[in-house]
Amino acid sequence: MHTHALLSAACCLALPCASALHLREPRDASPRVVKFDLQRNEIRDKVAHDRNRLSRRADTVSTKIDNEGLLYTLNISIGTPPQGFMVAVDTGSSDLWVNAANSSLCERRSKPCDATGTYSANSSSTYNYVGGWFNVSYVDGSGAAGDYVTDTLRFGGETVEDFQFGVGYDSSSDQGIMGIGYPADEAQVTDADQRTYRNLPAQLVHNGVIQSSAYSLWLNDLDSSTGSLLFGGVDHSRYTGDLVTVPILRPESSSYSSFYVALTGVQLGDNEISQKGGPEVAVVLDSGTSFTYLPESMVASIYEAVGAEYSATEGVAFVPCSLADEQAKVTFYFESPARIDVAMSELVLDVGEPGGLGGAEVCLFGIVPSLGSGSLSLLGDTFLRSAYVVFDLDNNEISLAQSNFKAKKSEIAEIGTGDDAVPSATDADGSDATSAGPSSTDTGSDEDDGVGMLQPGMGGVLASLGLAGLGLLL
Ligand SMILES: *[C@@H]1O[C@H](CO)[C@@H](O)[C@H](O)[C@H]1NC(C)=O
Ligand SMILES: *[C@@H]1O[C@H](CO)[C@@H](O)[C@H](O)[C@H]1NC(C)=O
Ligand SMILES: *[C@@H]1O[C@H](CO)[C@@H](O)[C@H](O)[C@H]1NC(C)=O
Ligand SMILES: *[C@@H]1O[C@H](CO)[C@@H](O)[C@H](O)[C@H]1NC(C)=O
């Protein structure tokens, strides 16, 4: 399942080809890891950005939101001589792809791909053609199609020769994606009935750069524009408390393909948000999605408690920005004792337009209902920023801890091999192999007894905002 939910990010940063490289962990005595610095894109020119938005259809607010700097990117280079790219990191898909220089999207007069990079096979002496069956589609309806090719990939001081990736001749996004999920979820497998190829985590293991197919993701808090992705290691300075390991859920009668874990409960202050007597919710940990998508009935309780106004047309919820100052937090429970607290300040997203109606500033809320036929529940960036997450693809486990936003000096330990490869992680209670999956997810019937525990006193103002009003605000 591809769970990338980002569209055309208006990245405003120029991309010099050669400087896509950075920190290399020294080899030998030091841990064998590869560290990527991640960057949250910022939008600089809000006026131009608003003009873009106004030219789009009314139901594409999510496009605009994604432009608001809620996308984590990393710098890589491909080819000989190197061509530079800024790609979005996505744990919800498994292919790397970049736009072709001559793609219909990139050739538009506004040159939308210039900031993020385009690939010209002709200009690379190390390019090789694999096949014309590259076609990836994401749950948000975006996608890319073209050729699978191989070429030299460089990042973080590492060089990977003959690395397979997709080239989009036809794509709906001006930014390439670095999918780092299970090989079983590669578009070549899911859409073209071919065998898996070694995607980035698999190739790094194959090349002996890291010991097992595992990496740690730390997005840092909303106030920070950088995070990191550490292949083959854990940085103990980046979390507080214990790193607790829970099993990745496997859909029945198929192999592990997405990062599903069991969400056993959600609490807002003293308010139990979980569906009464309902099943656990299978959620996907997905860095390629900006928001957190939970079953409708749970979200309704949360909205009632925080005074959020949901716009079904736009698929987002609005709250007064002052909600960010509330001390309450939303706690996500996994197999005990794994839990992550997400502070209100991390859930209230400033869309950058001051002075809404009645002088009240209106912000977006970071949790939205998982709608649509699949009702896929996703823990995206609004959740992930508060967590330190280790994805262990070899053991089919996720280790979670509360993010340490104040982290300074790194304490990196290598992830070895074997059952307990993630250093210092402890198993959750009864974390036996579980077989469950998306089909066992039940959004259930509504049980909306949310108590108005947070009363920012803005409900009236928000309720009075129709879609026309939102157009003014956003
Ligand atoms: C990626 O490249 C851009 C453009 O040069 C640069 O501004 C940015 O800092 C780089 N990001 C990282 C994480 O190195
Ligand atoms: C781009 O170039 C490739 C390779 O030459 C070609 O196959 C493809 O049709 C071109 N696409 C467009 C949109 O011109
Ligand atoms: C690549 O080179 C070939 C032959 O030199 C040419 O026909 C083709 O159009 C070029 N493709 C691109 C994308 O420039
Ligand atoms: C890619 O797949 C999508 C959905 O399966 C399909 O609609 C589209 O036509 C395909 N694109 C190409 C170029 O094959």
Side-chain angles (χ1 to χ4, degrees):
M1 201 128 349
H2 302 290
T3 50
H4 165 71
L6 297 167
L7 293 172
S8 56
C11 171
C12 300
L13 303 166
L15 191 69
C17 295
S19 74
L21 314 178
H22 53 92
L23 187 143
R24 175 185 186 149
E25 297 294 332
R27 288 291 181 77
D28 307 320
S30 306
R32 261 190 287 167
V33 297
V34 182
K35 189 179 168 210
F36 279 107
D37 291 329
L38 301 180
Q39 172 128 7
R40 190 150 53 94
N41 284 3
E42 305 288 350
I43 185 96
R44 302 263 166 84
D45 183 348
K46 291 207 168 64
V47 177
H49 144 80
D50 269 15
R51 256 200 311 272
N52 283 343
R53 185 196 62 82
L54 292 171
S55 67
R56 294 191 179 119
R57 293 200 327 256
D59 62 358
T60 56
V61 161
S62 60
T63 305
K64 187 202 76 62
I65 293 160
D66 297 326
N67 287 348
E68 288 290 350
L70 298 170
L71 174 80
Y72 288 86
T73 59
L74 51 86
N75 292 341
I76 59 171
S77 81
I78 299 174
T80 310
Q83 304 173 27
F85 297 89
M86 188 181 277
V87 293
V89 61
D90 185 16
T91 60
S93 67
S94 301
D95 297 276
L96 167 67
W97 73 266
V98 293
N99 278 300
N102 69 338
S103 85
S104 40
L105 182 101
C106 298
E107 289 209 314
R108 283 187 198 159
R109 205 139 40 99
S110 61
K111 297 287 172 207
C113 311
D114 279 7
T116 49
T118 58
Y119 179 71
S120 168
N122 272 8
S123 316
S124 176
S125 62
T126 39
Y127 152 85
N128 277 297
Y129 177 79
V130 174
W133 55 79
F134 170 64
N135 188 352
V136 65
S137 26
Y138 303 100
V139 286
D140 65 352
S142 67
D147 293 341
Y148 269 118
V149 308
T150 61
D151 206 335
T152 303
L153 170 70
R154 291 189 181 82
F155 59 90
E158 298 295 334
T159 298
V160 182
E161 283 168 6
D162 302 319
F163 183 73
Q164 182 168 337
F165 60 99
V167 178
Y169 292 124
D170 196 1
S171 86
S172 55
S173 165
D174 57 21
Q175 176 139 44
I177 309 279
M178 168 84 87
I180 51 173
Y182 283 105
D185 201 31
E186 290 161 357
Q188 166 166 314
V189 179
T190 59
D191 295 274
D193 283 331
Q194 309 251 355
R195 302 233 302 266
T196 58
Y197 65 89
R198 282 191 292 269
N199 69 354
L200 190 61
Q203 189 71 51
L204 290 175
V205 174
H206 180 80
N207 292 6
V209 175
I210 55 177
Q211 292 195 53
S212 62
S213 185
Y215 47 84
S216 303
L217 183 69
W218 183 68
L219 299 183
N220 209 347
D221 67 1
L222 257 184
D223 291 336
S224 170
S225 63
T226 56
S228 66
L229 174 63
L230 184 65
F231 281 94
V234 172
D235 186 343
H236 295 304
S237 75
R238 295 291 191 259
Y239 62 87
T240 59
D242 293 329
L243 203 48
V244 182
T245 302
V246 302
I248 293 172
L249 307 180
R250 183 171 57 81
E252 268 161 32
S253 69
S254 81
S255 57
Y256 287 96
S257 59
S258 294
F259 298 123
Y260 278 105
V261 296
L263 179 69
T264 58
V266 174
Q267 192 157 347
L268 199 175
D270 295 332
N271 236 1
E272 188 72 46
I273 301 293
S274 359
Q275 303 172 95
K276 285 202 182 71
E280 297 176 344
V281 182
V283 292
V284 181
L285 296 165
D286 184 7
S287 71
T289 293
S290 302
F291 283 65
T292 289
Y293 293 77
L294 292 177
E296 220 172 333
S297 61
M298 294 172 84
V299 172
S301 307
I302 296 173
Y303 284 178
E304 193 168 332
V306 302
E309 291 293 328
Y310 180 63
S311 158
T313 326
E314 318 235 0
V316 294
F318 300 92
V319 290
C321 295
S322 58
L323 180 65
D325 302 328
E326 297 284 341
Q327 290 305 305
K329 58 190 186 237
V330 178
T331 304
F332 292 78
Y333 292 92
F334 304 88
E335 246 179 79
S336 174
R339 55 174 275 189
I340 300 294
D341 290 332
V342 181
M344 274 303 156
S345 56
E346 293 292 321
L347 287 170
V348 175
L349 308 175
D350 191 346
V351 287
E353 295 300 315
L357 289 188
E361 286 187 46
V362 174
C363 283
L364 293 175
F365 193 64
I367 301 175
V368 288
S370 38
L371 296 172
S373 50
S375 281
L376 195 57
S377 290
L378 306 169
L379 299 185
D381 295 341
T382 53
F383 166 85
L384 289 171
R385 271 188 284 274
S386 297
Y388 189 82
V389 186
V390 186
F391 297 83
D392 179 350
L393 286 70
D394 278 354
N395 287 308
N396 302 309
E397 288 173 337
I398 297 277
S399 302
L400 292 154
Q402 193 73 35
S403 175
N404 178 13
F405 294 148
K406 299 195 181 85
K408 291 228 158 60
K409 199 166 175 294
S410 284
E411 291 167 43
I412 293 176
E414 191 170 325
I415 299 174
T417 55
D419 286 353
D420 294 307
V422 177
S424 307
T426 55
D427 283 351
D429 306 341
S431 86
D432 314 318
T434 312
S435 185
S439 56
S440 75
T441 308
D442 185 0
T443 51
S445 60
D446 288 10
E447 191 82 52
D448 302 333
D449 55 355
V451 181
M453 63 155 308
L454 288 177
Q455 292 297 350
M458 297 303 307
V461 172
L462 290 166
S464 72
L465 300 178
L467 286 179
L470 295 173
L472 291 174
L473 286 159
L474 299 168

